[in-house]
Amino acid sequence: MIPATARTHPAFAYLRARRRRPASWSDRYTSVFVLLVAAAVLGHPVAEALAGLARQADPARLGPGLALVAAAYAGFLALARALGPVVLPAADASWLVTSPLPRRAVLGRTALLLLVAAVLAGAALGLTALWLFGAPGQLGVRLAAALVLGAAAGAGGMATAVLGQQSPAADTRLQLLIGGALSVAVLAAVLGAGPARRMLAAVAEAPASLGAAVAGVASVVAAFLVRRAWAALDRIPAHRILASSTRTARVTSAATTLDPGMLTWVAEDAHWRGRALRSRPWPRLVSRLGPASAPAWQEWLRVGRRPGRLAALLGAAALPAVCANATGGGLGPAAGLLLCGALTAAAMCTAGVRRDGGDPALARMLAVDGRAVMAARAVLPALLAAAWSALALGVLQAVGELPPGAWWALGPAAAPALAAGALRMARRRPVDHSMPVIDTPGGAVPTGPLLWAFTGVDLALAGSLPALAALASRPASVAPYLAAQAGTGAAVLTAYVLRSARGSRP
């Protein structure tokens, strides 16, 4: 590789000379006009939002709010790690990264875009944190400290992700940082309403000068990490940049063609590619249950080989309670999170159904009864959905959002319907872009992506209506709703399994 100081390499000078054209007067006029329009549209709402920051914090919402901010920061780091974060367009990655050009010069533009995105995302998180803690005095100092602290956290986190792409040791530190952010989220959610409430209230009432000092220290640390990440650009292995670029190109293609189902395949391929799996003998129970249990057993193996995902799913069971506390006791958003979380838990183990849906010939070669296979494959999604929803309902009741009673049992009762919805989601066809577009007062709505998004969710929603009605009304006795939910869930799953024997999709 040519050293980074060789900036006068003829090939690089050729590419740089043709990568950009000089900005014309029309380009400058368009940029200034866009900035003026944005200032005119956003100026008044931003001024009102900033004026609303000058208030005292609500101690009851500090813990859940801080938990959501920490979880969002952990998601930001996880997304940066999953996408690369240093990537290039497919053509540039194939030709430039493997060429003898200075790698830092090739990746410099991408690094600058990453820095801008990280600073903007971090500033947004800083503003959200300031909205939670309030600014009873010295609004200007507190606002500047929150923006600097958030931008430093975003830039430092992105720099850590770049270092993690360069070496496995740094990647381990990045995973520890993600785990630390998730731990803060869990602790804030659990202790924010009790022992830690006074500590969070003390942080909200801290002097503005202390916040400015913390922001200054954080900016110095972030500058140090950014400097190290910039120096590490030359040492990032080419195969990692190529893999990240290929993965990002697939994600971009899925987004531009409105085919979100491809994203799950991208994530699965990225995880299992290059892994050496140890062969294990099948349990005797699986062999005794007949040939239909064999296709379903692979889902059990797949879930067992990813304990980290199960741990993350277990931690996410506290999110409905956190959301209920953050919204002041309203169960509407919490019920939505409960349904989404339980459906996600069920959909985690439907890769085999998706594969058979995409390649029906392979399923026919197994020569087993389709109805029995579908019933066997519904067991694990139902168990995961039952365990997650029971735990989430138990946490909701523990924090005082639900009256006394066996509310946790609504989860296992609704689990069959959730499993049916997850199986229906796994068997849905790609988005049909030839379907008509409906004109509404709010704009044109394409029916193809809309129907794709609701396929499976509709079945889970219809099968969980008794549980949702109980959460909405919060009756003194949950027993009638529990009986209705048990019957509805079993009927929905039974009907879906019987219908799947016809071979129709979804």
Side-chain angles (χ1 to χ4, degrees):
M1 176 183 297
I2 296 178
T5 54
R7 300 298 180 84
T8 57
H9 193 281
F12 178 71
Y14 176 84
L15 293 172
R16 186 172 56 182
R18 283 155 179 79
R19 180 170 291 173
R20 295 180 178 177
R21 63 180 178 84
S24 63
W25 284 106
S26 176
D27 296 335
R28 297 189 181 97
Y29 169 77
T30 303
S31 301
V32 172
F33 183 75
V34 168
L35 290 176
L36 291 177
V37 170
V41 172
L42 301 177
H44 185 65
V46 171
E48 286 188 345
L50 293 179
L53 296 175
R55 57 174 175 75
Q56 295 285 346
D58 184 1
R61 299 186 180 183
L62 282 179
L66 182 60
L68 293 179
V69 171
Y73 185 63
F76 165 73
L77 295 179
L79 180 64
R81 180 175 180 267
L83 293 181
V86 179
V87 296
L88 288 174
D92 290 354
S94 300
W95 290 96
L96 298 182
V97 175
T98 57
S99 69
L101 292 173
R103 188 159 298 166
R104 186 189 301 172
V106 172
L107 303 177
R109 189 180 182 186
T110 302
L112 181 61
L113 293 176
L114 287 176
L115 180 62
V116 173
V119 168
L120 292 178
L125 286 178
L127 280 178
T128 305
L130 181 63
W131 178 79
L132 290 171
F133 285 92
Q138 297 180 309
L139 175 60
V141 178
R142 292 179 186 273
L143 178 61
L147 288 176
V148 172
L149 186 59
M158 185 61 75
T160 307
V162 174
L163 292 172
Q165 193 177 9
Q166 183 259 329
S167 71
D171 184 62
T172 303
R173 289 193 289 271
L174 174 62
Q175 295 182 43
L176 291 177
L177 181 59
I178 296 174
L182 289 176
S183 301
V184 170
V186 173
L187 290 176
V190 175
L191 303 178
R197 177 177 292 187
R198 291 184 178 179
M199 185 176 66
L200 293 176
V203 172
E205 297 173 356
S209 57
L210 181 59
V214 173
V217 174
S219 60
V220 172
V221 175
F224 172 73
L225 291 174
V226 169
R227 178 68 183 85
R228 286 196 59 192
W230 176 258
L233 288 179
D234 272 336
R235 301 190 298 272
I236 297 179
H239 70 275
R240 292 184 180 174
I241 299 177
L242 292 174
S244 301
S245 301
T246 303
R247 189 164 56 246
T248 304
R250 291 183 179 179
V251 173
T252 305
S253 175
T256 53
T257 58
L258 293 179
D259 190 5
M262 189 185 297
L263 299 178
T264 55
W265 288 118
V266 172
E268 288 286 333
D269 292 344
H271 178 78
W272 296 110
R273 184 183 296 114
R275 292 178 181 269
L277 302 179
R278 182 180 301 175
S279 179
R280 299 174 181 172
W282 285 21
R284 294 182 179 179
L285 178 62
V286 176
S287 304
R288 293 175 181 174
L289 289 178
S293 61
W297 179 244
Q298 60 179 334
E299 299 296 343
W300 292 76
L301 290 177
R302 191 189 298 268
V303 171
R305 283 170 171 161
R306 302 189 69 176
R309 195 167 61 162
L310 284 179
L313 182 67
L314 182 66
L319 285 179
V322 174
C323 182
N325 281 335
T327 55
L331 278 184
L337 266 181
L338 191 65
L339 180 64
C340 293
L343 193 56
T344 302
M348 277 176 51
C349 44
T350 57
V353 181
R354 283 192 293 125
R355 188 195 59 244
D356 290 350
D359 189 2
L362 183 60
R364 286 195 294 269
M365 290 175 63
L366 295 176
V368 293
D369 182 31
R371 184 183 302 173
V373 172
M374 188 61 68
R377 279 176 165 165
V379 174
L380 183 57
L383 288 178
L384 280 182
W388 192 90
S389 53
L391 182 60
L393 286 168
V395 175
L396 268 175
Q397 193 173 25
V399 298
E401 298 296 338
L402 292 175
W407 287 85
W408 63 270
L410 283 176
L418 296 170
L423 295 174
R424 179 173 161 83
M425 288 173 61
R427 301 179 70 200
R428 59 190 168 189
R429 300 178 185 276
V431 178
D432 185 2
H433 296 288
S434 63
M435 296 192 69
V437 177
I438 301 176
D439 290 328
T440 66
V445 177
T447 56
L450 193 65
L451 288 178
W452 184 93
F454 277 96
T455 301
V457 179
D458 52 356
L459 195 60
L461 189 62
S464 306
L465 281 179
L468 295 176
L471 291 173
S473 59
R474 280 183 276 187
S477 175
V478 72
Y481 292 90
L482 186 58
Q485 180 57 66
T488 304
V492 167
L493 181 59
T494 303
Y496 183 78
V497 171
L498 292 176
R499 186 178 180 275
S500 66
R502 302 176 184 174
S504 57
R505 294 178 60 184

